[in-house]
Amino acid sequence: DAMVIQNPRYQVTQFGKPVTLSCSQTLNHNVMYWYQQKSSQAPKLLFHYYDKDFNNEADTPDNFQSRRPNTSFCFLDIRSPGLGDAAMYLCATSRDAGQNSYNEQFFGPGTRLTVL
Amino acid sequence: LAKTTQPISMDSYEGQEVNITCSHNNIATNDYITWYQQFPSQGPRFIIQGYKTKVTNEVASLFIPADRKSSTLSLPRVSLSDTAVYYCLVGDVFTGGGNKLTFGTGTQLKVEL
């Protein structure tokens, strides 16, 4: 089945130690998104890629970076995790069908990050 | 982006119809209305999307009045497995591609026997 896969499902890191979360998709969608979801809160968009074009949300901290080496993979790098970065990180994809179209986003299961 | 307002929580019983209303007074002409469902420790899942009037699929109906300032998600005959958070989103396409989703607080639906 076509899907969005996130690895690992659970990640533990130490305060200040860089960590990378990965997302892959078999949907061949051209848009990929990263969201942060803290406990009992709604998902918050960090950034998205439209093909290779990176689009950062204005309030996303510089501590968060992303890479998309090809259509299928996208990575979230947290350069110096703080205690406040503990959250569920969700990857999503969508297929851009052009102007005046609005297509659903397909979410992965998420990676739960713990910062010690 | 239009802000959405929806009840924080709702309770229901199995077999009942549940209607969750969302207010989006500042909806723009290009905005679509989309509902997502999220279970604990899972990513959100698309339920239904509409622009105006009524949309129905195999799991839900979406009612949108003519002024589009609100919308109602209708879940027929809910079961325990429908216990989840339901998000109403109003969004547009990004310039250059992709869809802008801004999640509101969501409605925690609890279904009991």
Side-chain angles (χ1 to χ4, degrees):
Chain A
D1 288 339
M3 54 177 37
V4 181
I5 303 162
Q6 290 189 245
N7 286 307
R9 293 293 312 276
Y10 300 91
Q11 176 73 57
V12 180
T13 190
Q14 292 180 336
F15 182 94
K17 183 175 181 181
V19 66
T20 295
L21 309 181
S22 98
C23 175
S24 64
Q25 53 129 341
T26 60
L27 297 161
N28 202 32
H29 285 170
N30 54 343
V31 192
M32 295 187 77
Y33 312 76
W34 280 103
Y35 291 83
Q36 178 193 62
Q37 185 174 26
K38 296 187 176 181
S39 181
S40 301
Q41 295 184 22
K44 179 179 178 299
L45 181 66
L46 296 174
F47 26 60
H48 79 281
Y49 272 95
Y50 180 80
D51 291 327
K52 292 185 177 181
D53 294 333
F54 177 72
N55 299 272
N56 202 27
E57 290 299 293
D59 57 354
T60 298
D62 293 339
N63 197 28
F64 292 89
Q65 304 287 320
S66 186
R67 296 170 284 134
R68 188 179 186 187
N70 53 52
T71 300
S72 301
F73 285 86
C74 196
F75 300 98
L76 170 62
D77 300 309
I78 308 176
R79 296 193 296 189
S80 182
L83 298 179
D85 296 327
M88 174 79 84
Y89 289 89
L90 295 161
C91 173
T93 73
S94 72
R95 179 182 63 87
D96 178 41
Q99 198 170 4
N100 297 324
S101 68
Y102 193 91
N103 297 292
E104 67 178 280
Q105 291 189 14
F106 293 81
F107 284 81
T111 294
R112 184 166 297 283
L113 178 68
T114 300
V115 181
L116 300 177
Chain B
L1 292 171
K3 181 180 177 181
T4 60
T5 303
Q6 50 185 124
I8 293 175
S9 65
M10 293 183 70
D11 294 328
S12 185
Y13 294 95
E14 275 204 319
Q16 290 191 332
E17 178 184 80
V18 171
N19 296 307
I20 307 175
T21 297
C22 179
S23 156
H24 28 80
N25 291 318
N26 296 321
I27 190 168
T29 303
N30 293 333
D31 286 343
Y32 284 74
I33 300 157
T34 313
W35 287 79
Y36 280 79
Q37 174 194 56
Q38 187 176 27
F39 298 111
S41 299
Q42 294 187 26
R45 184 175 71 104
F46 174 91
I47 301 174
I48 198 166
Q49 175 194 297
Y51 185 80
K52 61 181 178 180
T53 64
K54 177 184 175 183
V55 180
T56 297
N57 62 23
E58 63 275 10
V59 298
S61 294
L62 178 59
F63 298 91
I64 306 169
D67 66 5
R68 304 198 330 121
K69 292 184 183 299
S70 67
S71 59
T72 299
L73 173 72
S74 181
L75 304 171
R77 298 179 298 282
V78 295
S79 64
L80 293 175
S81 62
D82 293 316
T83 295
V85 178
Y86 292 82
Y87 291 101
C88 163
L89 300 101
V90 172
D92 194 359
V93 296
F94 282 114
T95 300
N99 304 326
K100 178 79 171 181
L101 291 184
T102 301
F103 286 81
T105 54
T107 297
Q108 172 67 64
L109 173 65
K110 182 179 179 183
V111 180
E112 298 175 293
L113 287 173

